[in-house]
Every structure is written in structure tokens, then in C-alpha cells.
Amino acid sequence: MTQSLKDKLIILLLAALGAAFLVTFIAIEEQAEIFALLVFAGVLIIASAKLGLTDKISQSLSRNERLLNLSVIAAMLVVIFWFHEDHFPLLMIATVLLYVVACCGLNMQFGYTGVVNFAGAAFFGVGCYTAAVLGGTGTPLLLVIALGGVMAAIIGSILIIPVLRTRGHYAAVVTIAFGLLFRTFLEVNDTLGGPQGLPVSGMNLFGWDFNSNIQITENIEFSFYMNYVILALIMVILTFILMRRIERSWIGLNFDAVRLDETAAACYGINIKRWKILSFTLGNFLAGTAGALFAMMLGFIAPSNFAFSDSLILVSIVLLGGMGSIWGTILAAGLVVLLPEKLQVIQEYRFLLYAVVMILILLFRPQGVLPRNLRSYIPGWRG
Amino acid sequence: MEQQQETVLAFKGLTRRFGGVVALNEFDMELTNGQIVGLIGPNGSGKTTSFNVLTGIYEANGGSIEFLGQDITSWPAQKVYEAGVARTFQRSRLCLELSIFDNIMIGAHKRLNHGFMFNVFKRKALQQQIKENYEEARKLLTIFDPELADKMFEPVGSLRMIDRRRIEICRALISHPRLLLLDEPSAGMTHEETRELMDDILEVREMIDGLSIILVEHEMGMIERVTDKCIVLNFGQKICEGAYREVASNKLVQEAYLGGE
Ligand SMILES: Nc1ncnc2c1ncn2[C@@H]1O[C@H](COP(=O)(O)OP(=O)(O)OP(=O)(O)O)[C@@H](O)[C@H]1O
Ligand SMILES: [Mg+2]
């Protein structure tokens, strides 16, 4: 069997395994079973790492990017269609997908350019409230999503001057303050519903009602959440393409240079402000688009959804996955959103557990669970 | 023997203070086309500071800098680079987690297209530009070390110090500068390695028309061999200027070095 055929088989096998794992994990309810499944997965991963399999596998993956991406999409579609009539699993999957989009935004800021943003939930929230306000006006769905992103980017520009002027801890404090202000603003603002929040009316895509179930045949009915999951998956794909293209371009190189050494970057003509503004704005845009769809999906939003702790969760997803690593963000978003939903033990001690995991990651694996690779500008090309 | 006597760089009364420390004190100097000037002096005498002020990292407190007929005294670092000044740093400043190719490409910044549309949507044209620049970077690095040129996609952090210095010099040279500032390029190298490095730099100088170099160096053999003239700083003040032989036999210079350590 040739190497390339082997690579392809490995990818298909992994995608099938991943889909099967996700379906099982989401479907089972019994706590002991879930726990057993997780232990099984953990042992499998540790064993293959010990046997040196993970290195081989990751080489196979990086040689066949296209197939890998397509297989993962196919696996996701299998999982989604498996649960086509179950509201709750679909809602969970869509939530993971939208977190991926928002965290990719943060990753663009923090992972690529080194601009810290502890107000991720606020920018996500701007998108949510944009959708709520536009809800009754008959604005087309896709436009609402885009406007959610645009609003987040515009509101983010308030922060640009302090973020450009300050560095490190100070920039963190500035964004934390902004996040708190945002929430307080929502709570006292009656036109935006005050502390009770706002309902978000259902959306239409070209006359297609997003909030009613879809009758396929007499016996098959899709949950209305299918609409949102599919749209969220499309958003993830577009975000992934954008992140990848930026990373594999001169812009990505400029981002890295700004993050790693501003002085050297300046001595080689790199305009620090320009690239920080671009990455901050794009990142907030992504968070806003994710928020807009999220609000329409939930149908109701309140200021309590956008607390500082939610921003911390977004940041911890980026750190857990690995700075600048897109696959890392996808994996970490899955873990951080799904685990507490499935394991009640975690639900209660959620934040304690996050804190412990964060400290362990920063101490022992600062590059994250799926570290970012060196930039390869053109897949498969090495000079 | 000189082709032209065009002045490339001129400091006039350049002064820079850090609190009470006068790091540069009324420093005058001139550099002509294609010249290699050695900038020497004991530790803390202001050599690095003169590079930092020239490249716009620090503002000057007094005096002026003229480069190719333009007053660049208060220009930001980016503009100084655009005008044709490239430098290395005393304590190597590469992006260690990036590849050799990435690091060298940072130096090519002014020739690359950084437009959002170009980078995100015109992938074919971008990839063409990447490949062209790869060829040039590879050619340049091959002059310094052919083996290194085969490792273009390896992280700089995995390389030896000498290789890192070579890459830093390539990052500067790929911008086709008119003026190259080298801040102790041979630090931590053996005599043999230093000689090789300097040969490589001289070889590249032949390829770039009218490239002038300011070389800060403690290794006097290197200064003697390559410089057209030397300037000696002590406590931020120029105490002597001339050919290496004259400077080395100067009383003030000998005292400065003896008193400095
Ligand atoms: N950023 C700074 N802040 C405060 N003082 C500084 C700064 N940079 C340089 N100095 C001071 O300016 C003086 C000149 O320093 P500089 O680094 O230019 O010396 P140098 O000639 O490069 O020395 P060396 O041979 O050790 O590299 C020193 O007294 C140094 O302490
Ligand atoms: Mg120095």
C-alpha cells in the first residue's frame, strides 16, 4: 500500500471514529457511561502518544489537508443528521460551532497578534443585541448576522486607542473594564430590556422560517434547530478559511512579527498600529456574527449571558486549544462547551475546574493541546 | 579610487540622554557611498544608542541626522527602514518560533503587497509573490551557508547562535538597504567563524550597489581588515576618527580602553 493511500485511509478512519465518538458521547445520558467513554478516549490518546502514533498520524494529516478538512465536515454532517429530530443535542452542537467562530476571533487577536481581549463575551453580546433589535424589522437573516459583526467591530473601535496605547496587563485591565461596563450598560438600559433582557424573534432565510420544524416526508421531521446548526457549520467553515488565508499570507506574518517583537517589527517597516487594529476589528467582527446567530437560535437574551466569566471561558478556550491554533480552538470549544453539559459533576464545579485546567496548561503545555504548526504558506510546498 | 563621494549619512551634534546619563554627546560623523565605518569604544560608550537613535527607536534630544540628503532626525522606525536603513541587533532579535523563511521575509517588508484583498482573495498572485521571494531569500542565504538554505522551513529557535546571526544579516540585506548597521555581529563566534562571516558580508556588498556599512565590533582584527575608517566613542563623545592604524596608536583611545575596563 502506498504512503499516500495509507494517509488517506488514516484520515477517513479518524473522521469515522470521531463521528462515532461524538454521536455516542452526545447520545448517552448515564453519568457512569459518559465517564467510561471519556476515560476510554483518554487512554486511547495517551496510548497512541506513547506508541509514537500521534506523530505519524499528524504527519499523515498535514500531508492531506484538503481531505482532512472535507472529512471533518462530512463527519460533522453525519453527527448533525444523526440527531436531526432532537432539539437539545442540536442546540449543543450549534453552541459549540458558534463558540468556535467567536474564539477564532479571539485567536486572531490574541493568538496571532498578541492583542489581549477579556471582553470577548461583550462583543459576542453586541452581536446578540443587534439581532434582538433587528429581529422585528424584517431584515434578512444573513444581513442580521453580518450587521452583528459590523456592530461589534464598530463598538470595538472605542477600545482601539486604549488597546494600542497599553500593553500586557494594562490592556487586559482595559478590556475587562469594558466588559463590565457593557453589562452594566445593558442592565440599566430600558430600551434594551434592562436586566430582564429581550426576546429575539425567529428569522427567515429567503422565506424559509427558521423557527419551525421541517417536514421532509410524512415520517421524517427535522428539528428547527437543524437550520441553525447548518448555518453555524457554514459560518465555521468560512471562519476557518478566513483564518487560514490570513495566517498563510504576509498579513499573518505581520501579525506574528507584531506579537513576537514590536521593536524589531518597527525596524523592518511593520506598522504596529495598522495590524493591531486589523486583527482586533476582524476578531470582534467574528465574535459579533457568532453572537447574532446565537441570539436568534436561543430566542431570548439577557445581560447575564455576557458576564466577565463568559469572557474568561472564551479566553480559556483559546489558551487550552493553543495560541493561534485553529484546530486547537475547535477541539477546546468542543471540550469546554460539551463536558459541563454532559457531566453534572463538572457543571457544579465548572469554574474551579477551568481554573485548575488553565493553570495546568500554562504550566505544563503552554502551547496548548493542539499547538499551531509553523507557517506553510502553500500546502505541500517547501521550496 | 572612490567612484563617488556622495554623502550617505551625516550626524550633526547628535545628543541623547537617559536621565542623567549622556549616552550620545554632540556626536558628529559622516559616511560616504560604499564606505565601511567601524564604530568602536568601551562598553556603555553609546554605540548601540547611536543605532537606536538613527533607526528611530529613540528620539534624539539634540542635533540632526541626514540620510541621502533628507533630514530623518524625527522619523519613525518604519520610515527610516523604507528610506533604506537596515540593521541587526546586539542581542539577536529574531522571531524564534517562526521559520527561517518567515524571519527573512520580515526584512523584505517594503517590497511585499500587504493589501487585505490581495492577501485574502488573490491567492494565485500571492503565492507567485511568495515563490519569487523564496528564491531570492534562498539565494542570499546560500552565500552565507548553503546548508542553512536547505532548512528554510525550520524554526529559528532550533538553530545555533552563529546561524541566527547569519539569518539576521540576511533579513537586513534582503531589503536592499543603502546603509547596513551591524551591532557586534561576531559576538560569541570563534575567529574562524568571524572571518567567514565578514567574507560573506563583503561578498554581498559587491552585489548591492553603493551599500555602506557601519560596523560596531569589539573584535579588532575584523575592524582592521574591513573598515575604511574608524570612529571611537567614549562616554558618548567622539574622541578620535581616522584609519584603523592611526586610531589604534592614538593616546586618548588607549586610555579610554584601559580606563574602561
Ligand atoms: N534604554 C535605556 N535606558 C537607560 N539608559 C540607557 C538605555 N540605553 C542605553 N542606556 C545607557 O546609555 C549608555 C550607552 O549605552 P549603549 O548601549 O549605547 O552602549 P554601547 O556602546 O552599545 O555598549 P556595549 O559595548 O556594552 O554594547 C550606557 O550608559 C547605558 O546604560
Ligand atoms: Mg551596544
Side-chain angles (χ1 to χ4, degrees), chain B residues 33-254:
Chain B
N33 206 17
Q35 216 176 18
I36 301 186
V37 169
L39 188 57
I40 56 182
N43 291 108
S45 55
K47 305 179 295 290
T48 299
T49 303
S50 68
F51 282 7
N52 286 341
V53 174
L54 166 57
T55 52
I57 294 180
Y58 295 141
E59 272 174 48
N61 297 123
S64 69
I65 306 168
E66 205 170 279
F67 179 66
L68 298 174
Q70 280 178 296
D71 183 354
I72 64 162
T73 316
S74 53
W75 282 14
Q78 287 87 351
K79 219 172 150 192
V80 176
Y81 158 81
E82 298 276 339
V85 179
R87 69 175 289 181
T88 66
F89 297 87
Q90 184 168 359
R91 255 181 257 131
S92 161
R93 291 190 94 131
L94 291 166
C95 300
L96 297 184
E97 41 187 278
L98 301 186
S99 65
I100 296 181
F101 180 53
D102 278 354
N103 273 285
I104 296 180
M105 278 304 104
I106 287 174
H109 187 269
K110 64 179 157 194
R111 281 185 285 122
L112 307 177
N113 186 339
H114 299 281
F116 185 79
M117 288 298 154
F118 177 80
N119 276 272
V120 176
F121 296 108
K122 303 218 167 121
R123 300 299 282 183
K124 279 264 148 20
L126 172 70
Q127 292 179 350
Q128 182 64 28
Q129 195 171 77
I130 289 168
K131 286 179 176 165
E132 283 164 13
N133 279 282
Y134 174 82
E135 287 310 321
E136 185 176 349
R138 201 187 148 88
K139 238 181 250 159
L140 184 61
L141 192 53
T142 306
I143 295 175
F144 285 83
D145 187 349
E147 269 175 48
L148 215 48
D150 290 331
K151 300 189 197 161
M152 288 284 259
F153 289 99
E154 284 179 30
V156 166
S158 68
L159 301 175
R160 300 173 303 163
M161 203 59 210
I162 310 158
D163 289 336
R164 293 188 197 174
R165 294 224 173 257
R166 292 183 173 128
I167 291 162
E168 225 186 330
I169 294 169
C170 285
R171 177 174 71 178
L173 288 171
I174 198 114
S175 69
H176 306 319
R178 282 298 304 276
L179 173 59
L180 175 65
L181 309 175
L182 299 171
D183 199 344
E184 297 196 30
S186 78
M189 291 192 189
T190 65
H191 281 283
E192 185 55 27
E193 287 163 348
T194 307
R195 209 179 51 77
E196 257 176 55
L197 183 74
M198 215 50 234
D199 287 342
D200 297 337
I201 293 173
L202 292 177
E203 188 180 336
V204 173
R205 189 176 68 137
E206 293 306 311
M207 294 163 42
I208 302 179
D209 211 24
L211 173 69
S212 309
I213 301 177
I214 304 180
L215 174 64
V216 168
E217 190 51 70
H218 283 301
E219 170 67 41
M220 287 307 149
M222 182 152 162
I223 291 281
E224 179 173 14
R225 201 157 67 83
V226 305
T227 58
D228 300 314
K229 79 169 177 185
C230 286
I231 292 172
V232 188
L233 285 176
N234 194 24
F235 295 112
Q237 241 166 337
K238 182 166 82 180
I239 54 171
C240 183
E241 176 170 354
Y244 176 78
R245 271 171 202 291
E246 298 165 34
V247 166
S249 57
N250 184 297
K251 273 266 162 344
L252 276 174
V253 175
Q254 287 167 356

Side-chain angles (χ1 to χ4, degrees), chain A residues 98 101 123-124 126-128 130-132 134 139-153 203-205 210 227-228 230-232 234-235 238-239 284-297:
Chain A
L98 292 176
V101 173
F123 293 108
F124 190 80
V126 172
C128 291
T130 308
L134 292 176
T139 317
L141 171 92
L142 296 181
L143 190 59
V144 173
I145 295 178
L147 285 175
V150 170
M151 276 307 286
M203 284 288 164
N204 260 291
L205 184 61
F210 257 52
N227 296 311
Y228 291 103
I230 299 286
L231 196 52
I234 292 172
M235 280 171 66
L238 292 178
T239 304
N284 292 335
F285 174 84
L286 288 177
T289 56
L293 189 63
F294 187 73
M296 292 188 263
M297 180 173 75

